[in-house]
Amino acid sequence: MTETHSPTDDEILAATPHADEKHDNLHGPTDKQFIVIFVVLAVVTSVEVAISYADIGPLFLPVLLLLMVAKFFGVVWYFMHVKFDHQLFGRLFYIGLGLAAGVYVIMLTTFRFFGA
Amino acid sequence: MSLDRTPRNERTSMQVAKSTTTFDAVNPGRLARLGSVAMLAALVAGCANDAPQDTWQPAGENAQKIHDLQWPVFLVAGLVGVAVFGVLFYALWRYRDTGQPIPKQIHGRPKLEIGLTILPAVILIFVAVPTVGTLIDLADTDDTDCIINVTGQQWWWEIDYPVQDGCGGISEPIITSGQMVIEVGTNVIVRGTSRDVIHSWWIPRLNGKRDMVPGRVHTNRLQAEAPGIYAGQCTEFCGLSHANMRMEVIAMEHDDFEAWKANQLEAYAAPEPESLAAEGESTFISQCARCHQVNGLENSDGELIIARPDLNVWSGAAPNLTKLMTRNTFAGASFDLLSDVCRPLVWEAPSDLVGERYNEGVSADCLNEVDLREWLRNPPAKKPMYTDPTKLEATNGLPRGMPFLALSEDQIDQLIAYLLERK
Amino acid sequence: MSDSVISDTVKDAIDIVKDHADDVHDHDVHAGDVADDHGDHGGHHSSLGLSNTKLAMWLFLGSECLLFGGLISTYMLYRNRHSANLGPDQLWDIPFTSASSFVLLTSSLTMVLAVSAATRGDLRRTKIFLTVTALLGGLFVAGQIYEFTTFYREGLGFTTSLFSSSFFTLTGFHGVHVSVGIIMLIALVGMLSKNKVSGDNAETVEMVGLYWHFVDIVWIIIFTLVYLIPA
Amino acid sequence: MAIIERPADVPAVVVPTPTASTNFGYFRRPVETTGWKSWAFTVDHKKIGIMYGVAAMFFFLVGGLEAGLIRWQLAQADGTILSADKYNQMFTMHATTMVFLFVMPMAAAFANYFIPLQVGARDVAFPRLNALSLWVFIFGGVFLNTSWFLGGAADGGWFMYAPNSSGIFSPSNGVDFWALGLQITGIASLVGAINLIVTVLNMRAPGMSMMRMPIFTWMAFVVQMLLLFAIPVITVALFLLMFQRSYGATFFSVEAGADPLLWQHLFWIFGHPEVYILVLPSFGIISEVLPVFSRKPLFGYPFVVFSGAAIGFVGWGVWAHHMFASGLGPVSVAVFSVATMAIAVPTGVKIINWTLTVWGGKLWFTTAMLFAIGLIVQFTIGGLSGVTHAVAPSDTQQTDTYYIVAHFHYVIFGGAVLGLFAGFYYWWPKVFGKLLSETLGKWNFWLMIIGMNLTFGPMHILGLQGQPRRMYIWTDYRAGEGFFNLGFWNLIASLGTIVLGVGIFMFLVNVWVTHRPGSTTLAAPEDPWDARSLEWMSTSPPKPHNYDRTPIVHDLDEFFHRKYEDVGEGDDHDYVLRASGAEVIAEEERNADAHIHLPAPSYWPIVLAAALPIMAYGVIYNTLLIVAGAAVAVMAMFGWALEPADAEPSDFDPPPPEPATGTELANV
Ligand code: HEA
Ligand code: HEA
Ligand code: CUA
Ligand SMILES: [Cu+2]
């Protein structure tokens, strides 16, 4: 490539989204699907509660956390539309979520090293 | 110890050599580089009679380890600076506007960029490795010879030697304040905590600092190569008189240390009856003994008097005055107990005489009466403390520090006479 | 040094980091002359073709993660620091809390149905579902108040122990968020009835919905970490 | 429950009912274009930016006055200018003022003014929220400083370590003011951050891809992301502190089993990103200034962009380097020590790219350029001492000494503040249409540089000689006698402050000389510096609607490419001037868009902002005030929400004159 390619006005405008192209999320789940998702989430919740009463040994914590995460993302992906929306929305949220998880987990970990 | 210091030294000097060569390509100012080394040397050499808290004059193993790490790091940092400034200033001069045409519109050179990104990373690896090494090294406290507890409170340090085989054997607890006495060459471990807010224990020439946090016990190792008085300072902001919360470590030879210990545990000697000091004793009992412990002090019924600072001071402690005159500073090591004339005899004593002179304590001739008097007359005026009765709502009326006691000059005379015998 | 290097650099750079831009465009052009979400006349552009308010809401929620993260961590650190008989193990009433969790989860469903109705332009159903959501939210808050009073009667005040302070702070913050959500829902119903919503109805409902679901997912975490996992 | 069954693909289009635009409630919209109302109720990002700047400058003088008193006290041993108590308040408020009320808002001033211009937008995404941010900040700052007159300011140091900050150890209301005041200014930052991020993401002119964005916008964008995520962390900490002090909680009471290190973690998780919040805007500014006065594009634009982002990101993983002496345990310390060193890499990338920008250029040493170069030099010194702190074992000898004070003043003053001054000189003609005097500017620069090195340079020595920070006095006993004695260097540092103060004073003189009534300073040419980026493609000062027509962007350095044509063949790029800046701007003016709609002013932002300090006083003095403040806030929010989207002329009070230029007022 020898020539710098500076796009022309027309090229730019052509590549520009138009008002009517506005990303709308009509294509999310149907109401019926929402209800199915809700039922699943409700079931997971019951399982969680059940586990908290049952004794499943060392698996207890990981399983419970896993279910929690599953529920969390169930709501985020479907009810909050992240799965169907423009990816940017989800990403902005995940940055915050990831930072929060990372920073606070490290913080709590350092409390374990005391006394050394 | 020396065993493991040697290889590290080698490593650091290697690292210096390496980084120097790396910069040859970029750095036109060879002279400048030499200059910086010379400046550094001057810096090190110039420290001869500098401030007692100089962090570049280690006087013990732990501080030495830190120093062995820090000076090469400073050197690397200095060299990087010189390199950057060399290039920058050269460019500023070389490309000043002399009527040249508009320069080529160069947007970047990815390869050069990547190279110049990696270079600092490499330098930093050479810094990081010895850092972690030293950290691990310093954390190793297996060879402890002596345990001393310190407790910070607003605004002084309590120092106590628990019963132990270490420190050459301690049979009964020794409690003192402001000045810690140790034996040369022994590995002391300071176990510290606090009774109120966070303080920080720091004897620069012996080791880096360590915060002393209420509710936790943190440790700090000390070892002094030679006898001497090593100054320290509380370095975590701890409120009003943070600036006046100092301390000293006195390192002395074995025999002196033993003598010091023996003296600390000597039984109480009541003042000569009818003497000024005896009057002082009763004043002390009526005015001071509710806060200050003097071991062995008895009331007129012959019962031992136990001070209850926990009922009278917010932090729950006041300095133990049993052997006040064996220390030579007071009130958070803020003021001298020794007069200007006598002070240098101890503080500037030749290394082999430090212990001996220190153990002489404070005699009537040597007492710095001015400061002590002022202290007794009105402590919060001498050292800012939180004692104004109208402002103690938050602490249920308990002062933080020593309150104003409205002593008469006569009482002060008596007290000074009495305190002079506490040695 | 050629300009091609420049543009290559730029392109490389873009590739390396996969700037979110690549979701939107072919070349690195993704600006737009799109009317903004409030439907005014070309004064503002929307370079991504996205709604400003929605971006803002997601950013806000991302930020809230660090708020609740901090409160949850404080609780996790202090949850064992209480007097012998006033700790989680003695106080929790898991069936009750499960029920209120369920209520909140249901409110998320009604919320999403409200949004879905709003996108279809079905104003009547939107208002119904919003009202139901608000009621369920109210039920949840009522449950929380009940729970707090029970604890209080058993001797657990805000200042009783570190555990109690951090517990009440965490759940209190959540409760306040729910309450704010309820106010928003009710206000929204009112504004929809009076046709006073500035901007697009469906989008406004969606915004309140996002907030509401967020409050729900925070509770999902609280429910598991605080209630189900024993101290 | 009724389940709604309806085919999803029926495009049930909502007919957007145009909202009734009759005025709502009692208040009609303000419309003044002159007088104080035109400022108090404006939503114009440029006016807001200027107000941010003026307020921040005021607080700079306040913070500088406090610094002056500190240095006066420390000029000799056992200083007697300030009592211990006053001194403690002084350095606490000095730091708080400088960080939260000067550097952050001054950066916000630049961001507010220039982000919309640089991305080719008419305003920010949410103009009313923008006004809210401004007023919340101003009221918060004033609130914070009223503590001086209400029983004393906060006295716990700017990091306000627990438990020294709790009611027992700091019984005056100072810390309450501090906690609540920062809570309030935090709201300002958070709202501003959301607003500006959306603006950058979504309001760019056609063709302005992320990688064609001017670098200042990029850096400001990273800063807003940092704010977005850092503010809530200190919010948590401040809430805990407030509950501790005002409502009896025991989050930091050791007697109750609390761990005081919790505060430290929360504070520094916020605090370390905060220091990059302070410095990155200035990095952005000088990345604009250096290319312009080198007549060369920024070297390695993508590297500079990504290193900025990397600094922002890595900055989240190093907070515990402020706690090396806190007793974290060797493992944590090692991890954080190494992570901290890693930050020097992306920062180095910036220094290197700036140097290479200058390299091969045609340098024009204006005052702005001098400040930019000053930043490179001074910041590098501070950064390198930062690396010496990162070496954890060494840091245990350095922490809480003046060596640290030296480090951070070099990075903050030498980094952030010099950058802001570069920005003042560079953009002054853009904002006010007049050039500041270059002669006075050079005095300003050199006095500041000499002053800052005299002030902060000796602090390296002081610190390494063991002088701890935050001490209202130092003593002769610990001063030493040799070349490095504390007495001499403390004195130099204090004298240096005078030089520094005079230097800063020169700036005020310069502004006065330029703008005083009857000043002979001529209007600046439209393009005084032969600048490169988009914001210069508007008039100076810009029109209320910024651009006459929405620019279409083809290149990074759009304005440069419109002025200069590449006449080279193949790989040879020779640029010749095709049109002057003024001509380019005139061309835009000829093709102006008609019917430009601008957001309408509003009363609600300032009203809502005023509610916050009322509530804060309530927390300290009387719960009833909280209720009153909350009532005002709720009222303002409803007023805000109900303010119609479209502002018809009848909405205004009084109705605006017929638009003459095709500029209409409309709400966003
Ligand atoms: C603008 C604000 C700012 C900035 C940018 C920085 C930047 C850095 N800071 Fe600083 N810092 C503060 C503000 C800032 N700091 C403040 C306010 C405090 C004190 C808070 C308080 O206690 O009150 C503090 C305290 C502080 C400490 C704690 C000290 C202590 O209290 O014990 C540490 C420790 O690691 C540290 C490290 C660093 C490092 C490694 C960087 C790095 O980002 C620097 C990187 C830059 C360079 C290194 C120079 C350029 C690079 C090159 C030329 C490349 C080549 C370099 C090498 C190979 C080394 N800082
Ligand atoms: C943005 C941040 C910022 C800025 C710009 C400054 C600017 C300055 N700072 Fe500060 N400082 C901090 C942030 C900052 N500082 C922080 C975070 C701390 C730590 C606090 C803590 O420990 O809690 C600190 C602490 C601190 C200390 C240590 C106090 C102590 O530990 O006991 C000192 C001491 O010298 C100091 C001095 C100065 C000086 C002389 C300036 C100068 O640059 C100020 C220059 C400005 C002016 C002088 C005003 C403008 C000029 C005029 C009004 C003209 C007339 C004036 C004169 C002729 C004097 N600062
Ligand atoms: Cu104790 Cu500072
Ligand atoms: Cu930091």
Side-chain angles (χ1 to χ4, degrees):
Chain A
M1 207 160 91
T2 45
E3 199 47 282
T4 340
H5 168 71
S6 281
T8 64
D9 287 8
D10 291 341
E11 280 174 332
I12 289 174
L13 289 175
T16 293
H18 278 284
D20 33 331
E21 279 173 28
K22 195 165 158 183
H23 294 250
D24 249 327
N25 36 26
L26 286 168
H27 49 286
T30 62
D31 286 358
K32 220 175 190 168
Q33 285 166 322
F34 278 133
I35 291 169
V36 173
I37 295 161
F38 165 74
V39 171
V40 173
L41 293 176
V43 169
V44 174
T45 308
S46 335
V47 173
E48 270 196 314
V49 176
I51 290 181
S52 82
Y53 282 100
D55 180 10
I56 59 166
L59 279 180
F60 176 74
L61 205 61
V63 168
L64 220 54
L65 290 179
L66 200 76
L67 293 177
M68 174 184 93
V69 171
K71 267 164 67 187
F72 185 95
F73 283 102
V75 175
V76 173
W77 284 346
Y78 298 100
F79 286 3
M80 296 173 93
H81 258 263
V82 162
K83 226 177 150 166
F84 313 98
D85 243 337
H86 194 283
Q87 293 190 29
L88 182 59
F89 296 126
R91 288 191 193 175
L92 291 174
F93 179 66
Y94 293 148
I95 299 177
L97 187 66
L99 271 181
V103 159
Y104 291 125
V105 167
I106 295 175
M107 177 184 97
L108 288 175
T109 318
T110 63
F111 279 95
R112 297 265 154 80
F113 286 108
F114 283 132
Chain B
M1 274 303 89
S2 61
L3 257 181
D4 83 40
R5 202 181 305 145
T6 326
R8 193 176 46 253
N9 268 344
E10 265 169 30
R11 202 161 39 198
T12 41
S13 51
M14 256 166 58
Q15 150 206 345
V16 171
K18 236 202 183 89
S19 53
T20 316
T21 47
T22 355
F23 277 102
D24 270 339
V26 206
N27 176 13
R30 217 172 141 221
L31 263 178
R33 199 166 64 234
L34 285 174
S36 82
V37 176
M39 252 172 60
L40 235 124
L43 210 90
V44 177
C47 292
N49 51 352
D50 287 326
Q53 288 175 194
D54 188 354
T55 59
W56 276 59
Q57 274 185 289
E61 183 187 307
N62 304 282
Q64 186 64 46
K65 285 179 187 168
I66 294 175
H67 191 65
D68 292 346
L69 176 70
Q70 89 180 346
W71 74 260
V73 172
F74 274 69
L75 186 65
V76 171
L79 292 176
V80 171
V82 169
V84 171
F85 298 151
V87 176
L88 179 65
F89 285 117
Y90 173 75
L92 291 178
W93 172 77
R94 167 86 166 67
Y95 296 105
R96 68 197 186 281
D97 189 345
T98 49
Q100 70 264 45
I102 298 179
K104 285 219 171 135
Q105 300 294 301
I106 297 167
H107 286 250
R109 287 175 208 251
K111 278 189 190 138
L112 178 67
E113 305 268 299
I114 292 169
L116 287 175
T117 310
I118 293 174
L119 180 66
V122 172
I123 298 176
L124 286 168
I125 291 174
F126 280 99
V127 175
V129 172
T131 298
V132 175
T134 309
L135 257 174
I136 295 170
D137 193 8
L138 285 170
D140 174 22
T141 55
D142 288 347
D143 51 356
T144 300
D145 303 325
C146 178
I147 298 173
I148 302 175
N149 296 329
V150 306
T151 313
Q153 49 246 291
Q154 290 177 327
W155 288 271
W156 57 284
W157 293 97
E158 184 174 87
I159 293 158
D160 89 82
Y161 299 68
V163 175
Q164 61 189 301
D165 294 333
C167 317
I170 307 266
S171 54
E172 263 179 81
I174 298 173
I175 299 179
T176 171
S177 79
Q179 293 193 324
M180 175 187 282
V181 178
I182 64 172
E183 184 183 331
V184 165
T186 54
N187 288 319
V188 175
I189 192 120
V190 173
R191 300 167 75 246
T193 186
S194 159
R195 292 200 175 95
D196 37 41
V197 302
I198 303 178
H199 303 271
S200 193
W201 174 267
W202 186 38
I203 312 290
R205 296 189 59 198
L206 301 186
N207 200 350
K209 57 186 75 68
R210 168 90 350 133
D211 284 3
M212 297 310 177
V213 183
R216 299 163 165 280
V217 175
H218 288 160
T219 57
N220 187 238
R221 257 164 71 98
L222 300 177
Q223 188 260 24
E225 302 281 2
I229 302 185
Y230 299 100
Q233 164 80 43
C234 170
T235 46
E236 190 62 83
F237 180 67
C238 52
L240 201 58
S241 236
H242 162 63
N244 296 314
M245 184 166 169
R246 309 198 180 103
M247 63 279 200
E248 278 114 19
V249 167
I250 292 92
M252 46 179 73
E253 299 289 3
H254 178 77
D255 293 344
D256 296 325
F257 184 59
E258 290 300 324
W260 180 81
K261 279 191 303 184
N263 175 268
Q264 292 294 310
L265 293 175
E266 251 175 27
Y268 180 73
E272 195 82 13
E274 315 273 303
S275 67
L276 193 60
E279 287 174 43
E281 184 180 49
S282 52
T283 313
F284 189 89
I285 292 173
S286 66
Q287 296 284 347
C288 323
R290 65 194 154 105
C291 293
H292 290 287
Q293 179 69 27
V294 168
N295 301 345
L297 179 64
E298 291 171 353
N299 66 11
S300 46
D301 301 336
E303 289 163 7
L304 281 181
I305 299 179
I306 305 295
R308 291 301 302 273
D310 50 326
L311 304 179
N312 294 299
V313 192
W314 176 255
S315 68
N320 185 310
L321 299 183
T322 313
K323 293 285 173 184
L324 176 66
M325 293 297 161
T326 62
R327 342 202 234 271
N328 58 20
T329 54
F330 72 100
S334 299
F335 311 106
D336 275 316
L337 275 174
L338 286 172
S339 64
D340 286 350
V341 183
C342 300
R343 187 178 194 271
L345 294 179
V346 184
W347 287 69
E348 283 154 33
S351 184
D352 51 337
L353 290 179
V354 170
E356 201 183 310
R357 298 256 175 95
Y358 181 80
N359 281 344
E360 280 167 18
V362 182
S363 63
D365 298 338
C366 273
L367 179 67
N368 169 11
E369 227 183 287
V370 184
D371 280 334
L372 187 57
R373 246 172 210 288
E374 279 176 3
W375 175 260
L376 296 178
R377 217 174 274 141
N378 190 350
K382 188 82 182 141
K383 168 174 173 175
M385 291 182 286
Y386 218 88
T387 57
D388 180 348
T390 62
K391 289 186 184 163
L392 300 181
E393 204 187 325
T395 49
N396 304 323
L398 296 182
R400 291 185 277 135
M402 173 160 155
F404 172 63
L405 294 167
L407 302 176
S408 69
E409 289 304 305
D410 287 346
Q411 285 175 311
I412 294 176
D413 290 340
Q414 300 160 1
L415 283 168
I416 286 183
Y418 174 70
L419 289 175
L420 266 173
E421 294 182 8
R422 305 301 108 224
K423 61 189 255 187
Chain C
M1 192 71 208
S2 77
D3 272 5
S4 65
V5 177
I6 306 148
S7 50
D8 283 348
T9 317
V10 175
K11 293 230 169 64
D12 286 352
I14 292 168
D15 283 346
I16 295 166
V17 181
K18 277 281 176 215
D19 171 44
H20 60 76
D22 64 347
D23 307 329
V24 199
H25 61 78
D26 323 310
H27 300 294
D28 33 318
V29 174
H30 49 124
D33 203 1
V34 177
D36 97 34
D37 47 293
H38 291 314
D40 61 71
H41 327 280
H44 289 264
H45 309 280
S46 160
S47 22
L48 299 172
L50 301 175
S51 142
N52 279 346
T53 355
K54 197 161 164 183
L55 276 170
M57 179 55 83
W58 275 109
L59 287 165
F60 173 68
L61 297 183
S63 167
E64 289 268 283
C65 288
L66 282 115
L67 183 91
F68 278 104
L71 295 170
I72 293 174
S73 316
T74 305
Y75 174 80
M76 293 311 273
L77 185 67
Y78 283 159
R79 69 202 175 120
N80 287 324
R81 308 192 185 181
H82 51 75
S83 57
N85 54 355
L86 278 177
D89 298 341
Q90 291 83 37
L91 294 165
W92 290 170
D93 180 355
I94 298 292
F96 179 84
T97 314
S98 307
S100 39
S101 305
F102 189 76
V103 168
L104 200 59
L105 191 63
T106 315
S107 79
S108 257
L109 174 67
T110 54
M111 186 72 234
V112 87
L113 294 176
V115 174
S116 153
T119 15
R120 284 191 310 262
D122 185 339
L123 208 61
R124 202 178 64 88
R125 286 219 160 76
T126 309
K127 284 189 283 186
I128 293 176
F129 279 123
L130 287 177
T131 314
V132 175
T133 311
L135 288 175
L136 288 169
L139 193 57
F140 175 84
V141 174
Q144 203 169 30
I145 292 172
Y146 169 79
E147 191 190 33
F148 282 9
T149 29
T150 320
F151 291 169
Y152 187 73
R153 255 189 256 110
E154 289 174 39
L156 193 80
F158 178 63
T159 58
T160 307
S161 62
L162 281 167
F163 153 72
S164 79
S165 303
S166 47
F167 169 76
F168 284 122
T169 304
L170 169 59
T171 49
F173 260 85
H174 181 262
V176 169
H177 273 74
V178 179
S179 310
V180 169
I182 295 171
I183 295 173
M184 277 161 47
L185 288 165
I186 295 171
L188 182 57
V189 173
M191 285 162 74
L192 283 173
S193 310
K194 293 248 158 97
N195 206 0
K196 276 277 189 189
V197 176
S198 42
D200 179 25
N201 282 348
E203 191 181 85
T204 311
V205 176
E206 197 189 341
M207 285 319 102
V208 178
L210 285 178
Y211 176 84
W212 190 261
H213 295 307
F214 178 77
V215 172
D216 185 28
I217 56 179
V218 171
W219 187 256
I220 287 177
I221 295 182
I222 293 180
F223 181 58
T224 308
L225 290 187
V226 174
Y227 287 91
L228 294 185
I229 296 176
Chain D
M1 190 182 297
I3 294 165
I4 303 141
E5 271 290 56
R6 195 183 281 199
D9 54 353
V10 175
V13 176
V14 196
V15 184
T17 22
T19 345
S21 60
T22 44
N23 58 67
F24 163 76
Y26 297 107
F27 298 109
R28 308 216 293 178
R29 287 164 192 266
V31 75
E32 284 78 1
T33 48
T34 54
W36 67 272
K37 285 187 184 169
S38 71
W39 292 90
F41 308 124
T42 187
V43 293
D44 178 355
H45 72 99
K46 296 182 289 300
K47 282 186 173 169
I48 290 175
I50 291 172
M51 284 189 281
Y52 255 117
V54 171
M57 200 65 200
F58 169 76
F59 285 121
F60 182 38
L61 300 185
V62 174
L65 184 73
E66 286 155 357
L69 289 169
I70 291 175
R71 281 315 325 165
W72 191 3
Q73 164 85 356
L74 296 178
Q76 69 293 83
D78 299 314
T80 50
I81 307 300
L82 300 167
S83 68
D85 188 29
K86 271 282 164 303
Y87 183 88
N88 294 345
Q89 297 173 31
M90 211 52 81
F91 71 72
T92 305
M93 289 302 284
H94 158 67
T96 307
T97 305
M98 286 297 197
V99 169
F100 295 96
L101 306 182
F102 165 50
V103 176
M104 286 172 71
M106 192 57 91
F110 281 105
N112 250 299
Y113 201 101
F114 291 108
I115 286 181
L117 280 167
Q118 288 201 325
V119 301
R122 298 240 183 269
D123 207 312
V124 294
F126 305 99
R128 282 184 299 176
L129 284 182
N130 205 21
L132 179 69
S133 298
L134 168 77
W135 293 112
V136 170
F137 147 64
I138 290 183
F139 291 148
V142 171
F143 169 82
L144 199 51
N145 276 286
T146 54
S147 60
W148 285 113
F149 313 104
L150 295 170
D155 57 1
W158 88 289
F159 46 76
M160 205 54 73
Y161 272 7
N164 192 40
S165 58
S166 52
I168 289 172
F169 301 111
S170 183
S172 80
N173 282 326
V175 178
D176 300 316
F177 276 97
W178 185 85
L180 291 158
L182 291 191
Q183 204 76 282
I184 294 176
T185 57
I187 293 173
S189 300
L190 187 64
V191 172
I194 294 178
N195 205 344
L196 291 173
I197 295 171
V198 175
T199 307
V200 169
L201 289 176
N202 215 24
M203 309 283 284
R204 281 166 285 139
M208 166 90 48
S209 66
M210 291 300 271
M211 294 310 286
R212 278 190 209 136
M213 257 175 10
I215 189 78
F216 169 74
T217 294
W218 248 116
M219 290 305 111
F221 174 70
V222 173
V223 167
Q224 306 309 318
M225 291 298 272
L226 288 176
L227 281 170
L228 181 73
F229 298 124
I231 296 291
V233 184
I234 192 167
T235 302
V236 171
L238 293 173
F239 267 118
L240 299 185
L241 180 60
M242 182 181 108
F243 290 158
Q244 162 105 15
R245 290 181 59 93
S246 299
Y247 302 110
T250 51
F251 294 110
F252 309 113
S253 309
V254 180
E255 317 84 75
D259 198 321
L261 270 77
L262 175 64
W263 170 270
Q264 299 190 10
H265 279 289
L266 290 176
F267 186 86
W268 292 120
I269 290 175
F270 153 80
H272 191 83
E274 170 70 20
V275 304
Y276 294 109
I277 290 168
L278 297 178
V279 84
L280 282 177
S282 292
F283 283 3
I285 291 172
I286 75 153
S287 303
E288 301 279 2
V289 170
L290 289 168
V292 168
F293 298 108
S294 306
R295 320 277 172 75
K296 244 171 112 250
L298 181 63
F299 195 89
Y301 168 86
F303 281 84
V304 179
V305 167
F306 294 130
S307 65
I311 291 174
F313 184 75
V314 183
W316 283 91
V318 303
W319 75 86
H321 65 215
H322 297 276
M323 302 163 64
F324 282 156
S326 295
L328 287 178
V331 181
S332 309
V333 168
V335 170
F336 279 102
S337 178
V338 173
T340 303
M341 290 174 198
I343 273 208
V345 175
T347 319
V349 168
K350 284 195 160 10
I351 305 279
I352 288 163
N353 280 287
W354 290 329
T355 310
L356 292 177
T357 302
V358 173
W359 190 276
K362 177 177 178 198
L363 306 183
W364 180 10
F365 295 109
T366 60
T367 307
M369 179 68 162
L370 290 178
F371 273 109
I373 295 165
L375 184 150
I376 306 182
V377 174
Q378 305 295 322
F379 178 84
T380 301
I381 297 175
L384 291 171
S385 63
V387 171
T388 65
H389 309 328
V391 176
S394 317
D395 184 62
T396 60
Q397 290 286 30
Q398 299 161 0
T399 186
D400 278 313
T401 68
Y402 266 83
Y403 188 66
I404 305 291
V405 180
H407 155 68
F408 67 73
H409 283 96
Y410 266 85
V411 281
I412 292 185
F413 202 92
V417 179
L418 293 185
L420 294 173
F421 273 80
F424 294 155
Y425 280 90
Y426 175 59
W427 276 316
W428 202 270
K430 174 89 275 171
V431 177
F432 298 106
K434 282 185 168 189
L435 283 162
L436 290 172
S437 151
E438 280 292 306
T439 319
L440 276 170
K442 294 202 165 128
W443 277 99
N444 180 185
F445 170 77
W446 285 111
L447 285 172
M448 267 173 79
I449 284 292
I450 295 169
M452 85 153 276
N453 283 294
L454 284 178
T455 306
F456 305 122
M459 292 185 187
H460 292 109
I461 298 173
L462 293 172
L464 292 177
Q465 288 299 94
Q467 182 177 335
R469 54 194 284 214
R470 302 173 147 191
M471 301 202 323
Y472 77 104
I473 45 161
W474 52 274
T475 162
D476 268 333
Y477 280 150
R478 305 264 168 117
E481 286 161 350
F483 177 65
F484 294 121
N485 76 81
L486 304 189
F488 178 69
W489 294 109
N490 269 308
L491 186 61
I492 296 294
S494 297
L495 294 176
T497 309
I498 298 176
V499 180
L500 183 54
V502 173
I504 294 165
F505 189 63
M506 283 298 136
F507 174 74
L508 302 180
V509 172
N510 204 344
V511 172
W512 170 249
V513 166
T514 309
H515 291 283
R516 70 172 196 276
S519 153
T520 52
T521 316
L522 299 173
E526 296 289 20
D527 180 20
W529 315 123
D530 193 6
R532 312 176 70 87
S533 48
L534 194 59
E535 78 274 19
W536 291 96
M537 221 167 81
S538 61
T539 53
S540 301
K543 298 174 181 165
H545 52 275
N546 291 355
Y547 294 100
D548 284 316
R549 70 166 166 185
T550 299
I552 296 178
V553 180
H554 312 77
D555 288 287
L556 177 65
D557 289 348
E558 175 72 12
F559 190 45
F560 176 85
H561 286 279
R562 295 220 186 171
K563 291 186 287 186
Y564 289 86
E565 193 180 8
D566 182 4
V567 295
E569 301 269 311
D571 269 357
D572 261 353
H573 293 272
D574 282 326
Y575 285 88
V576 293
L577 191 65
R578 196 185 60 186
S580 73
E583 283 164 353
V584 173
I585 293 166
E587 165 82 10
E588 294 298 295
E589 210 155 30
R590 272 194 298 283
N591 294 297
D593 291 339
H595 299 293
I596 297 166
H597 286 243
L598 286 179
S602 170
Y603 290 115
W604 299 119
I606 194 169
V607 175
L608 180 52
L612 296 176
I614 299 180
M615 287 160 75
Y617 282 117
V619 171
I620 298 176
Y621 294 110
N622 190 333
T623 317
L624 277 181
L625 269 179
I626 307 185
V627 179
V632 176
V634 170
M635 179 194 78
M637 283 192 228
F638 273 96
W640 186 312
L642 291 168
E643 209 164 50
D646 286 310
E648 295 289 316
S650 65
D651 244 18
F652 290 91
D653 185 23
E658 280 300 301
T661 58
T663 308
E664 289 171 20
L665 296 162
N667 172 272
V668 172

